[in-house]
Amino acid sequence: MNRWHCLPSEPGPAVASLGSPPAWQPLDRSARLLRLAFGLGWPLAMAATPSWLGRGGLGLGCGFRALTGMPCPLCGGTHACAALVQGDWAAAWAASPGALILLLWLVLLTGQAVVEGAQGRRRVARWPWWHPAVLAAVGGGLVLSWGLRLAGLA
């Protein structure tokens, strides 16, 4: 019996055997560059989104709202991006709680892309934010926020 509960008492899954698959697989050059471009370009795109979609930029509005007259699940996301770029978490939450949850999940993906691109290898095991429960929470938060907005409660 091991008195250190955090350490395995017998060799088990914590000790890799010779025949086990590697934890990381190498990336080819194009996959590495794609991950780095996403990981480094996405924050820049997020910062530029308000100017692209606003009245001073391209003036592209929400296509869903133009077709249906109702707000889409991501309505308020542009304002949430602008607030996050300025560091105003309360304003981002007020603009669109669902979009804020989605943006925070995208920050995790950005970090994953930068790590994998910089190292030149991808993790074989799923990252924790790809767990089905996390994906359900992100999607559920987006749908709940949208439902509350449609009901006039948010």
Side-chain angles (χ1 to χ4, degrees), residues 48-121:
T49 296
S51 63
W52 288 345
L53 298 177
R55 292 183 186 155
L58 297 175
L60 300 174
C62 176
F64 185 86
R65 182 171 239 156
L67 290 174
T68 65
M70 298 182 333
C72 76
L74 292 175
C75 274
T78 303
H79 295 289
C81 279
L84 280 180
V85 167
Q86 296 171 0
D88 191 351
W89 288 83
W93 182 261
S96 177
L100 178 62
I101 293 168
L102 181 65
L103 289 171
L104 292 176
W105 184 73
L106 286 170
V107 166
L108 294 172
L109 294 185
T110 302
Q112 173 187 340
V114 169
V115 166
E116 290 181 348
Q119 290 183 349
R121 47 192 187 142

